[in-house]
Amino acid sequence: MQQEDLGGTSPALSGANLDSSNVTEAWTRIRGRLREEIGEIEYRTWMRQMTLAAIEGEEAVVQVPSRFLRDWLRSQYGDRLRALWQAENLGVRRVDIRVAPAPAPDGAAVDGEAMPRAVPEPARPAEARAADSRSADPRNDWAAPLDPRFTFDSFVVGKPNEFAYACARRVAEKPASPGFNPLFLYGGVGLGKTHLMHSIAWALREPGLDRSVAYMSAEKFMYRFIAALRSQSTMEFKESLRSVDVLMIDDLQFLIGKDNTQEEFFHTFNALVDAGKQIVVSADKSPSDLSGLEDRLRTRLGCGMVADIHATTYELRISILEAKAQAAGIPVPARVLEYLAHKITSNVRELEGALNRLIAHSGLFGRPVTLESCQEVLHDILRAHDRRVTIEEIQKRVAEHYNMRLADMSSARRARNVARPRQVAMYLAKQLTSRSLPEIGRKFGNRDHTTVMHAVAKVQELMQQDAGFAEDVELLRRMLET
C-alpha cells in the first residue's frame, strides 16, 4: 500500500506499541473520508499538506507546514479528526496539530509533497513550554489539558458577558468565596463559557499557588466513572477527584439522563464544597432549566453564583474580531470586520473560525485580505447566514409570542403589556435587519428614531437585570434566525 502521508515509519511511531502498517492504513482511510466529506478542492487547499508524525500514547500527532494552517485546522477540523481516529479503534483519543520543521533534504516525495523520513518533535516557544508545565498536574493526570489561548487577557469583554467575566475573575482571585461556590456559567454555543473556564484554571495554576485544579468535560467525567466501575477502582476515582482544590466541569447538560453518573457527581460536589473547595460548572441552560437533572443536584448548583452569557452584540463582535486580527498580526480592513460582524451573529466560535479561515488563506497564498476575498473564501458560511429577516416578520412573531394584537405594534397604546413587546420588536429589528433607526420607527406607527434608540437601550438594560427576560428575547432571536 502506498504510504501517502507517513513516508515510512518514524521513530515515534515505531515506539508506540502499535503495528505501524495498521496505523498507516488507518491514516489513509481517515484522509480518504475527509476528502469525501469536504470535496477535492477544499481538501487540497487545507488538508493535503497534513502528515502523521507520531502516535504518542493516546494522542496522534499531525504536522502541517505553517502556523496559519495549524490554527485553521484546529478550529475547523480538530473535533472531526479526533472522531475519525476514535472510529478506527486504535486507542487514539486525542489529536494534536503542530507546525512541522522544514523537511529533511532526503525526504521522499509523495503526491508532490516532500515527506520527512524522521520527524522530530518540533521546537516550541518558551511560553508554550511554561504553559505545559502549568497545565500538567501530577495529582490529576487524567484531567483535560487547557488551551493556552484561553486566558483572561485574551477574553474580549462587553455587555453580554461582563457579569460572567467579573464572576470568573472573582473565583480566580478568591476561590471558594462565600456566595461564589459553586460558580455556574451558562449560555448558548460558542459564547465564551469554555474560554472563561480555561481562564480561571490558568489563573489558579500560576506558579507558587500550589493548587490542584481538575478541568474536564462532563462527558469525560462520565467515561472515567464508567471505567472505574469496570476496573473496580471506584475508590481511587473518588479519592482522586475529592483531593483537588478546584473541580471544573464543562457542558454539564451531558449528564442529563445518566442517573448513576449524576449521583456520583452529586456526592463529589458535596464532599468538595463541605471541604471548602471550589467548584465551577458550565452548561447551555440555567440550573432551573436543566430538566432531567435530579432536583437535589439542580438545587445545589443554583445555591452559589449563577452567571449567564448573552448573545453577542454588534459592538462586541467588532471588538472580538479586532483583537483576533491584531493577535494574528495580519492587517484586516475595517470594512471586512464590519461585514463579518453584521453577517455572522450566531456565536463567537463561528465568527473566530471565519476570521481564522480568512487569515489562513491570506498567509498560505500571500494575498491581502479584502472584502472580495472574504466573500469568495467564506461563501459557504455567508450563504448559511444570508437569510433576510423582515421587520414585518419580527412584529408578527413577537406579537404571537406575547399574545397581543399585531395592530398594537403600530398603535399609540402605551400600556405596559403592549409597550414592552413593542420595544422588544424594535430591539430585534435593530439586531436582525440592516434598516436604519428612522426606517424602523416608520414601521412602528411613524415613531421617531429616538424612540427606537430608547427601546433598544431599555431592552438591553432589562436583559442585563432579568435572566428570564433575556432568555425570552434570545428565544425570539433564534426563532427568527432559523
Side-chain angles (χ1 to χ4, degrees):
M1 175 179 290
Q2 184 187 28
Q3 295 185 0
E4 178 188 7
D5 304 290
L6 294 174
T9 303
S10 73
L13 281 171
S14 62
N17 296 322
L18 291 171
D19 188 303
S20 61
S21 62
N22 290 342
V23 174
T24 303
E25 292 172 4
W27 181 231
T28 301
R29 286 194 295 271
I30 288 170
R31 288 180 61 121
R33 291 192 188 100
L34 286 169
R35 182 185 274 117
E36 292 174 359
E37 289 176 7
I38 68 176
E40 186 66 28
I41 295 177
E42 191 84 359
Y43 176 86
R44 285 186 168 272
T45 300
W46 302 110
M47 294 191 166
R48 185 172 174 235
Q49 300 179 75
M50 291 189 305
T51 59
L52 179 62
I55 301 293
E56 299 175 351
E58 294 185 339
E59 183 172 77
V61 178
V62 175
Q63 292 184 336
V64 292
S66 71
R67 181 166 57 89
F68 301 107
L69 192 54
R70 178 200 64 190
D71 293 344
W72 163 242
L73 289 174
R74 278 179 177 174
S75 65
Q76 298 297 316
Y77 293 102
D79 291 343
R80 185 58 185 148
L81 279 168
R82 185 178 70 249
L84 289 172
W85 269 110
Q86 291 175 348
E88 290 294 332
N89 197 27
L90 291 175
V92 174
R93 295 292 176 264
R94 300 181 301 276
V95 177
D96 185 16
I97 303 174
R98 304 174 183 171
V99 178
D106 60 346
V110 179
D111 195 21
E113 303 173 51
M115 299 296 164
R117 291 181 181 173
V119 183
E121 176 71 20
R124 307 190 68 205
E127 295 85 351
R129 294 196 299 272
D132 287 346
S133 67
R134 285 185 286 143
S135 177
D137 188 333
R139 290 168 288 185
N140 297 288
D141 58 355
W142 45 269
L146 300 176
D147 192 324
R149 298 171 301 170
F150 291 167
T151 65
F152 283 124
D153 289 341
S154 64
F155 190 84
V156 181
V157 183
K159 285 194 173 183
N161 59 30
E162 61 184 0
F163 179 65
Y165 173 82
C167 292
R169 275 285 196 184
R170 173 64 179 272
V171 167
E173 293 166 2
K174 296 180 179 179
S177 297
F180 286 83
N181 195 20
L183 171 62
F184 190 101
L185 302 171
Y186 76 95
V189 175
L191 296 182
K193 300 187 300 297
T194 298
H195 191 144
L196 284 178
M197 296 271 286
H198 284 229
S199 300
I200 294 171
W202 279 124
L204 291 171
R205 285 179 174 177
E206 282 295 327
L209 294 180
D210 191 32
R211 290 195 183 102
S212 173
V213 181
Y215 164 84
M216 72 195 77
S217 66
E219 182 179 17
K220 185 165 187 175
F221 179 93
M222 184 194 73
Y223 287 149
R224 286 289 178 177
F225 177 56
I226 293 173
L229 290 174
R230 288 176 177 170
S231 62
Q232 297 182 346
S233 59
T234 53
M235 288 307 299
E236 289 87 342
F237 174 81
K238 294 174 187 288
E239 290 171 3
S240 179
L241 270 182
R242 298 176 191 186
S243 66
V244 302
D245 297 313
V246 181
L247 177 62
M248 311 182 75
I249 303 294
D250 210 352
D251 291 326
L252 189 76
Q253 69 273 6
F254 184 83
L255 296 188
I256 290 176
K258 284 87 170 177
D259 295 341
N260 291 335
T261 309
Q262 281 188 45
E263 183 174 0
E264 179 57 36
F265 176 69
F266 176 76
H267 293 309
T268 298
F269 181 105
N270 286 338
L272 288 172
V273 171
D274 291 345
K277 308 298 179 65
Q278 177 72 50
I279 292 180
V280 183
V281 176
S282 79
D284 60 351
K285 297 177 182 176
S286 67
S288 59
D289 290 331
L290 284 174
S291 56
L293 283 186
E294 293 183 8
D295 289 340
R296 59 178 182 171
L297 178 56
R298 195 162 55 237
T299 301
R300 290 304 303 266
L301 289 170
C303 72
M305 180 57 64
V306 178
D308 61 332
I309 304 178
H310 301 304
T312 58
T313 60
Y314 170 76
E315 292 78 12
L316 180 56
R317 292 194 293 274
I318 283 288
S319 297
I320 291 170
L321 289 170
E322 288 175 343
K324 298 300 178 182
Q326 183 177 4
I330 299 294
V332 180
R335 65 174 185 160
V336 172
L337 300 181
E338 293 167 0
Y339 179 73
L340 290 176
H342 271 301
K343 295 292 289 185
I344 303 176
T345 62
S346 55
N347 65 66
V348 175
R349 192 175 301 155
E350 189 171 9
L351 189 67
E352 291 181 356
L355 182 63
N356 287 339
R357 187 166 167 182
L358 268 183
I359 291 173
H361 187 273
S362 173
L364 287 169
F365 298 104
R367 301 170 186 165
V369 176
T370 64
L371 188 58
E372 291 71 24
S373 68
C374 171
Q375 294 169 335
E376 177 185 347
V377 174
L378 304 178
H379 64 91
D380 54 333
I381 297 176
L382 297 174
R383 186 170 59 248
H385 289 267
D386 205 29
R387 183 177 182 276
R388 301 183 190 280
V389 181
T390 65
I391 293 178
E392 290 79 8
E393 186 178 358
I394 292 170
Q395 291 175 329
K396 181 180 178 182
R397 184 61 61 90
V398 172
E400 290 173 350
H401 183 78
Y402 286 102
N403 195 28
M404 61 178 281
R405 296 186 308 160
L406 179 59
D408 282 336
M409 284 289 171
S410 303
S411 73
R413 292 186 60 195
R414 296 186 179 181
R416 184 183 180 87
N417 64 338
V418 172
R420 186 70 75 232
R422 186 190 296 135
Q423 288 177 329
V424 170
M426 290 181 180
Y427 168 84
L428 291 171
K430 176 67 170 62
Q431 297 295 317
L432 301 179
T433 75
S434 58
R435 298 296 187 93
S436 66
L437 295 178
E439 288 176 314
I440 294 173
R442 285 194 290 272
K443 292 287 186 177
F444 286 84
N446 289 319
R447 284 176 164 81
D448 188 78
H449 74 281
T450 57
T451 303
V452 181
M453 290 175 60
H454 171 75
V456 171
K458 186 63 177 178
V459 171
Q460 289 175 334
E461 177 186 351
L462 290 173
M463 289 175 69
Q464 291 291 322
Q465 298 172 352
D466 186 341
F469 178 76
E471 289 180 9
D472 223 25
V473 175
E474 182 57 27
L475 173 62
L476 281 166
R477 176 201 282 270
R478 288 199 297 268
M479 291 168 59
L480 287 160
E481 287 181 332
T482 56

